[in-house]
Amino acid sequence: MYWDTHMHCSFSGDSKSSPDSMIQSAVSKGLYGICFTDHMDYDYPARPQEPVTFEFEPACYERAMLALQESYAGRIRILRGIELGLQPHLAQRHTELLEAYSYDFVIASSHVVHGKDPYYADYYEGRSEDAAYLEYFESILENICAFHDFDVYGHIDYVVRYGPDKNKYYSYEKYSDVIDEILKKLISLGKGIELNTAGFKYGLGHPNPCEEILKRYRGLGGEILTIGADAHEPQHVAYAFDTLPQLLCACGFSHYTVFENRRPQFLPVS
């Protein structure tokens, strides 16, 4: 009975799923609790051919989540989170948002790198896949240095979901210098990372980040690890969670983490 603490609903620009449909899926799968972490990506680059806005009205979101908590009380725990799309110039805006509204859990993620989202092919044009991946990892360090009022950094190797060859030629070792720097910085700040099972949904055969990064984080002394499927539709809630007991243990974790009121709670893997 795990918690799925990374999921999206219609408050996110890339989901049309109602909050109720996501909750009902979680209940049917026997989850103990969930946390909605809808996207707040200020200054997302405009794409006229694919108009999408990754912002929501915080007051409306808060009211909706409080109503859901009351409606499902006694059936499943529901926490209120947010996934902030970091860019260095947005640090003050993120600070102001978190001062104005309370969340149980804050995920920091890199979706936009120097004006482009690696989800789209134009991020990779005119250079090697290795160079594109390296720029992505280096941008994470830039973001952490500019802003660190978050709880975990999400899907650290998100970029490999969408690269021309995805993770065919990718490995932790290839980028170990910068990835180690990221992990050490997060640990020094008391921040965690997440195990995001959407990598399996995207056909990578591995979570995001991959097992080698999870093991390295643990080996460096990292203890805060949240789990989430990054679902945008009900059928993907708790996706591949059947792999978690073996996967977590193989990476050196006996516990995983759930944040409530921005405070970590450590729960046993089994």
Side-chain angles (χ1 to χ4, degrees):
M1 293 179 66
Y2 285 106
W3 285 73
D4 187 338
T5 58
H6 187 156
M7 68 170 59
H8 303 275
C9 66
S10 52
F11 280 97
S12 287
D14 55 357
S15 175
K16 297 180 180 178
S17 302
S18 70
D20 281 291
S21 69
M22 302 297 285
I23 296 168
Q24 289 162 16
S25 177
V27 171
S28 72
K29 293 171 182 177
L31 294 184
Y32 185 78
I34 61 172
C35 184
F36 283 101
T37 52
D38 282 298
H39 289 295
M40 187 67 90
D41 277 65
Y42 296 126
D43 199 20
Y44 188 83
R47 299 184 67 87
Q49 67 276 30
E50 297 178 59
V52 63
T53 300
F54 288 105
E55 296 181 31
F56 58 80
E57 172 50 53
C60 181
Y61 184 63
E62 183 175 67
R63 287 193 299 270
M65 292 296 136
L66 290 172
L68 290 166
Q69 289 172 340
E70 183 176 349
S71 177
Y72 286 91
R75 298 176 62 191
I76 188 170
R77 295 287 309 285
I78 301 171
L79 301 179
R80 184 171 75 255
I82 191 169
E83 183 177 8
L84 297 177
L86 299 194
Q87 298 181 66
H89 69 281
L90 297 174
Q92 184 58 36
R93 195 167 180 186
H94 288 147
T95 297
E96 291 169 358
L97 174 67
L98 297 182
E99 287 175 348
Y101 295 92
S102 298
Y103 298 95
D104 289 296
F105 180 41
V106 177
I107 300 176
S109 293
S110 292
H111 297 130
V112 177
V113 179
H114 305 138
K116 292 185 178 182
D117 186 341
Y119 179 87
Y120 295 103
D122 57 359
Y123 174 76
Y124 307 91
E125 290 175 356
R127 56 177 171 169
S128 69
E129 186 177 70
D130 285 352
Y133 285 8
L134 180 60
E135 182 185 11
Y136 180 84
F137 289 122
E138 290 176 340
S139 79
I140 293 177
L141 277 175
E142 294 172 8
N143 286 330
I144 297 171
C145 289
F147 177 82
H148 48 259
D149 185 12
F150 56 83
D151 301 313
V152 304
Y153 217 97
H155 45 54
I156 285 176
D157 56 7
Y158 162 92
V159 67
V160 306
R161 293 181 183 176
Y162 309 112
D165 294 300
K166 293 194 172 183
N167 63 342
K168 184 176 181 180
Y169 304 109
Y170 160 73
S171 67
Y172 153 72
E173 289 77 13
K174 187 178 286 189
Y175 307 96
S176 60
D177 288 350
V178 63
I179 292 174
D180 279 2
E181 205 173 338
I182 292 167
L183 298 178
K184 290 174 183 177
K185 183 69 172 178
L186 290 171
I187 291 169
S188 72
L189 292 169
K191 310 300 178 182
I193 63 172
E194 72 162 348
L195 190 168
N196 188 308
T197 61
F200 295 108
K201 181 184 73 176
Y202 284 95
L204 302 180
H206 302 276
N208 296 116
C210 62
E211 293 88 342
E212 289 76 14
I213 294 177
L214 295 170
K215 291 175 183 177
R216 181 58 173 158
Y217 171 72
R218 185 72 191 97
L220 290 169
E223 297 181 349
I224 298 173
L225 183 75
T226 60
I227 56 175
D230 206 350
H232 291 67
E233 298 177 281
Q235 63 265 35
H236 295 139
V237 172
Y239 192 89
F241 269 32
D242 57 315
T243 67
L244 289 177
Q246 182 177 359
L247 181 55
L248 285 162
C249 290
C251 293
F253 293 90
S254 59
H255 292 74
Y256 70 100
T257 313
V258 172
F259 279 84
E260 188 166 3
N261 295 320
R262 305 291 306 276
R263 295 190 179 95
Q265 303 174 35
F266 295 93
L267 305 178
V269 168
S270 59

